[in-house]
């Protein structure tokens, strides 16, 4: 029997403290709010107790940030899209930020098991003055466990309406896409880190973010399969291809920390769950 789970998460500032309130239906919720940086930034862990999606499952995640709020969301482990008998497994995340809100969307990777039929959709809407740093990491199969991605399809959709759209469908049967130097070049991890602003960022600010990303890239082992660009005055993106998740995630964390300091003068407060 398929699961259809929903979560609505609402960040608001109350007496100089960001608080998180949520409603849920089905097996999807957040754990206790944490404040390792003080009251201004609320850290939350998004939990899906079944641990993965099979054909027919749907997860709907709706996140809102009010003026003055700052939320940080991560997950305790990877999301998993398991083998399907034909039905679609779907995860939809919609983020809406009011003017003056900040959000960090930092889930761990999504793993596509062989035989899955999956879609992972993310939409971000930011009013003028709102800002977001987020990432999306996808692993095709489990190469280190000798479980390659040999069958199935995966659709990745990341959108800032009217400004930026990344949309791609991967079919395990498309070896030209998976193996060609013009495609994934044999890599099995795709990762993107992005900064989204509700107002056009100045050229100097965008160049500073690109400079931080490129400096860290030059010293990293993935420098030949990664690049940073600003496709729109309100968007800066770092894209990475890697053979497995770990080196890509390491690079994303380094650049996220540098961007966090440059944009908001905040230290690298790594979520506690990442250390467990």
């Amino acid at each position: 029997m398929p699961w259809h789970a929903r979560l609505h998460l609402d960040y608001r500032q109350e007496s100089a403290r960001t608080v998180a309130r949520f409603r849920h239906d089905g097996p999807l919720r957040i754990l206790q709010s944490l404040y390792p940086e003080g009251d201004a930034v609320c850290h939350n862990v998004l939990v899906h107790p079944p641990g993965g999606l099979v054909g027919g499952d749907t997860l709907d995640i709706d996140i809102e940030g009010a003026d003055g709020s700052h939320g940080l969301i991560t997950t305790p482990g990877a999301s998993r899209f398991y083998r399907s008998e034909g039905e679609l497994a779907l995860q939809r995340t919609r983020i809406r930020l009011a003017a003056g809100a900040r959000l960090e969307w930092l889930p761990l990777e999504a793993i596509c098991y062989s035989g899955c039929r999956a879609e992972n959709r993310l939409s971000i809407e930011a009013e003028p003055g709102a800002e977001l740093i987020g990432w999306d990491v996808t692993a095709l199969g489990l190469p280190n466990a000798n479980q390659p991605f040999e069958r199935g399809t995966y659709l990745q959709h990341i959108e800032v309406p009217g400004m930026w759209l990344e949309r791609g469908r991967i079919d395990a049967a498309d070896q030209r896409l998976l193996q060609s130097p013009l495609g994934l070049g044999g890599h099995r991890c795709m990762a993107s880190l992005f900064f989204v602003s509700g107002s056009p960022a100045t050229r100097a600010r965008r160049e500073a973010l690109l400079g931080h990303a490129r400096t860290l890239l030059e010293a990293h082992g993935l420098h030949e399969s990664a690049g940073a660009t600003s496709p729109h005055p309100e968007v800066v993106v770092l894209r990475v291809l890697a053979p497995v998740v770990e080196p890509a995630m390491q690079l994303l964390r380094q650049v996220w920390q540098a961007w966090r300091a440059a944009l908001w003068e905040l230290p690298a407060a790594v979520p506690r769950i990442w250390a467990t």
Side-chain angles (χ1 to χ4, degrees):
M1 188 174 188
W3 291 105
H4 190 171
R6 301 176 181 86
L7 174 73
H8 181 92
L9 177 57
D10 188 10
Y11 286 103
R12 298 192 174 275
Q13 189 181 55
E14 298 180 2
S15 301
R17 189 182 214 203
T18 296
V19 297
R21 307 198 185 281
F22 74 99
R23 304 187 307 273
H24 72 93
D25 179 21
L28 190 61
R29 62 201 66 196
I30 61 168
L31 300 182
Q32 179 182 0
S33 295
L34 301 173
Y35 295 89
E37 304 177 73
D39 288 347
V41 186
C42 180
H43 288 224
N44 288 113
V45 178
L46 178 64
V47 178
H48 178 227
L53 289 82
V54 299
D57 288 352
T58 300
L59 298 185
D60 279 311
I61 303 165
D62 192 11
I63 301 165
E64 294 190 49
D67 183 16
S69 67
H70 187 158
L72 185 153
I73 304 170
T74 188
T75 57
S79 302
R80 291 172 169 82
F81 291 102
Y82 292 118
R83 179 174 58 88
S84 171
E85 298 297 336
E87 291 187 276
L88 179 71
L90 173 62
Q91 177 169 300
R92 288 184 294 232
T93 304
R94 184 182 183 189
I95 298 172
R96 291 172 290 182
L97 301 179
R102 293 176 180 172
L103 186 74
E104 296 172 79
W105 172 248
L106 308 172
L108 298 186
E109 69 273 13
I111 301 174
C112 299
Y113 283 74
S114 189
C116 75
R117 185 167 176 259
E119 293 187 5
N120 195 358
R121 298 173 175 269
L122 171 64
S123 176
I124 302 163
E125 301 171 34
E127 293 184 5
E131 295 184 341
L132 173 144
I133 302 175
W135 66 39
D136 185 278
V137 182
T138 300
L140 301 174
L142 296 167
N144 288 340
N146 196 27
Q147 297 181 37
F149 184 62
E150 297 178 323
R151 295 181 296 107
T153 62
Y154 177 75
L155 175 71
Q156 179 193 55
H157 179 109
I158 308 172
E159 179 180 15
V160 181
M163 301 178 200
W164 177 51
L165 172 65
E166 284 204 2
R167 179 182 170 91
R169 182 180 297 277
I170 295 175
D171 190 323
D174 189 349
Q175 289 300 303
R176 180 177 296 179
L177 171 64
L178 293 173
Q179 300 300 133
S180 167
L182 297 179
L184 301 187
H187 294 294
R188 291 299 178 265
C189 175
M190 308 175 296
S192 297
L193 172 70
F194 35 88
F195 167 68
V196 175
S197 173
S199 305
T202 64
R203 183 178 183 86
R205 199 177 192 212
R206 285 183 285 134
E207 288 295 334
L209 296 183
L210 292 171
H212 286 300
R214 290 166 179 166
T215 297
L216 290 166
L217 270 177
E218 290 175 3
H220 198 276
L222 295 176
H223 64 276
E224 293 185 354
S225 59
T229 185
S230 179
H232 188 278
E234 298 179 26
V235 180
V236 180
V237 185
L238 168 68
R239 298 179 179 87
V240 183
L241 289 175
V244 292
V245 167
E246 289 76 14
M249 190 64 81
Q250 179 197 51
L251 177 59
L252 262 58
R253 289 184 184 183
Q254 290 176 355
V255 179
W256 160 67
Q257 290 171 337
W259 283 5
R260 200 173 198 261
L263 290 166
W264 302 329
E265 298 182 348
L266 291 174
V270 175
R272 187 183 304 172
I273 195 75
W274 292 355
T276 59

